Amino acid sequence: MSSSTLITNIATLVTNDPSLGNGTPLGLVRDAAVVIDGDRIGWTGGTSKAPATDNRVDAGGRTVLPGFVDSHSHLLFAGDRTEEFAARMSGRPYTAGGIRTTVAATRAATDAELEAHLTRYLSEALRQGTTTMETKSGYGLTVADESRALALAARHTDEVTYLGAHVVAPEYADDPAAYVDLVTGEMLDACAPHARWIDVFCERGAFDGDQARAILTAGRARGLHPRVHANQLSYGPGVQLAVELDAAAADHCTHLTDADVDALAHSRTVATLLPGAEFSTRAAWPDARRLLDAGATVALSTDCNPGSSFTSSVPFCVALAVRDMGMTPDEAVWAATAGGAAALRRTDVGRLTPGARADLTLLDAPSHVHLAYRPGVPLVAGVWRRGVRVV
């Protein structure tokens, strides 16, 4: 029989339900309490109205918000690209191979090594308040390496994405059409049982619009839902393709035309912004303000990967989004919780309402605004996942 726990003396409770709180999208409740009943939220409201429970936790005038939902990461890899980062930050040319460097190291790693890396980064993210994390393959680029990566991921997260179409495998550099055939054929057959999603890097130097459409359509026919690496490095067809195929998310969205913004605003496809990538490459920031003002749904995620965004910290990305992408603190927190849930087509996470999964983050601060107000400070004082305190 499950027990119930009351968390009381919460200065600010972020519910992400406007009807429960102050009428804003965050649904803020002041002087609040929340009841965890088993692995679900049983009740939320003012402290004075809190029901009796088996256990009680005093939040000490701190903030409670939904666990962060990180809907874009690349955690299945081996190796290190420190030298590449140092060269980029020093303005020096670097020609060691980028993604292909990680591909070589990942292929050479054992299953145990890959799983140890994966669990390390998942634990690192959990300590920073992330309770739901998507992760992708994409650093194996062979049938065996892509399928083993996804099988390992499926042991640790429900949100697993097949990204055989990250770049063309080096063996197929002279015949990309043959690699697309592999990604949509034998590799897809081996990977589909382990994944929920299919993704493609639709970009110059990776896969063009026609190739991306073929890959995503093949995945959809096998029961995988599309998401797209879209418009990161240049203007291109990625966003339009994502909307056309009802992809859950178009990720990056750095270079957008007015038509791209309009398409996102009039679709279910979430624009997932990944400021860690711009921070780590000194690229132009995505214009979150433009997307939000048009009515698009925006998510914030880390893009944790060894080459262009080696951070697992959603709070860091919240601070970047507020400082450099035109988002208010409220918008950034919503995007990192409810927005991430929307990008995964989830209704059970990213909110603290009765019936939702009991994934909560306790901040050592009186307000969620401190995530941007105090950048780089380890504010997470507690994390509950599925009703169990894990941090």
Side-chain angles (χ1 to χ4, degrees), residues 228-249:
V228 184
H229 280 61
N231 301 54
Q232 176 187 5
L233 306 177
S234 61
Y235 295 97
V239 163
Q240 296 291 340
L241 180 64
V243 171
E244 173 194 326
L245 297 180
D246 187 36

Side-chain angles (χ1 to χ4, degrees), residues 78-124:
D80 180 87
R81 284 158 67 183
T82 301
E83 292 182 8
E84 176 185 335
F85 176 79
R88 189 164 61 235
M89 293 298 105
S90 305
R92 300 194 308 268
Y94 185 81
T95 56
I99 288 175
R100 288 174 178 82
T101 303
T102 303
V103 169
T106 302
R107 290 177 178 180
T110 65
D111 286 7
E113 288 168 337
L114 285 182
E115 190 166 22
H117 290 312
L118 171 66
T119 55
R120 171 190 170 189
Y121 299 127
L122 288 172
S123 296
E124 187 179 275

Side-chain angles (χ1 to χ4, degrees), residues 145-158:
D145 286 303
E146 288 293 294
S147 60
R148 74 169 176 142
L150 294 173
L152 290 171
R155 297 179 188 175
H156 300 281
T157 179
D158 297 333

Side-chain angles (χ1 to χ4, degrees), residues 3-7 34-42 358 360 384 387:
S3 65
S4 58
T5 297
L6 172 69
I7 304 176
V34 60
V35 172
I36 299 171
D37 189 3
D39 65 351
R40 298 284 153 174
I41 299 297
L360 308 90
W384 286 257

Side-chain angles (χ1 to χ4, degrees), residues 15-209:
T15 68
N16 285 337
D17 183 345
S19 71
L20 290 180
N22 62 351
T24 69
L26 288 187
L28 300 178
V29 182
R30 310 291 184 183
D31 186 20
V34 60
V35 172
I36 299 171
D37 189 3
D39 65 351
R40 298 284 153 174
I41 299 297
W43 177 90
T44 60
T47 295
S48 62
K49 300 177 182 177
T53 56
D54 301 316
N55 308 294
R56 187 182 181 97
V57 174
D58 188 336
R62 298 182 177 111
T63 295
V64 171
L65 68 160
F68 299 121
V69 181
D70 191 342
S71 62
H72 184 127
S73 78
H74 304 249
L75 304 183
L76 292 148
F77 68 89
D80 180 87
R81 284 158 67 183
T82 301
E83 292 182 8
E84 176 185 335
F85 176 79
R88 189 164 61 235
M89 293 298 105
S90 305
R92 300 194 308 268
Y94 185 81
T95 56
I99 288 175
R100 288 174 178 82
T101 303
T102 303
V103 169
T106 302
R107 290 177 178 180
T110 65
D111 286 7
E113 288 168 337
L114 285 182
E115 190 166 22
H117 290 312
L118 171 66
T119 55
R120 171 190 170 189
Y121 299 127
L122 288 172
S123 296
E124 187 179 275
L126 184 64
R127 292 194 301 272
Q128 297 172 92
T130 298
T131 51
T132 301
M133 197 155 196
E134 179 271 359
T135 198
K136 311 175 194 301
S137 64
Y139 290 121
L141 309 185
T142 68
V143 173
D145 286 303
E146 288 293 294
S147 60
R148 74 169 176 142
L150 294 173
L152 290 171
R155 297 179 188 175
H156 300 281
T157 179
D158 297 333
E159 301 298 344
V160 180
T161 301
Y162 166 45
L163 183 60
H166 197 181
V167 294
V168 174
E171 298 85 355
Y172 291 85
D174 296 327
D175 193 358
Y179 186 66
V180 172
D181 289 342
L182 180 68
V183 168
T184 57
E186 182 185 356
M187 190 183 286
L188 175 60
D189 292 339
C191 290
H194 306 297
R196 182 180 178 207
W197 306 96
I198 185 167
D199 199 346
V200 60
F201 187 19
C202 184
E203 188 67 66
R204 266 181 280 178
F207 299 90
D208 65 24

Side-chain angles (χ1 to χ4, degrees), residues 322-342:
V322 172
R323 167 64 177 79
D324 290 305
M325 287 162 45
M327 300 184 86
T328 68
D330 281 16
E331 289 167 340
V333 168
W334 190 96
T337 52

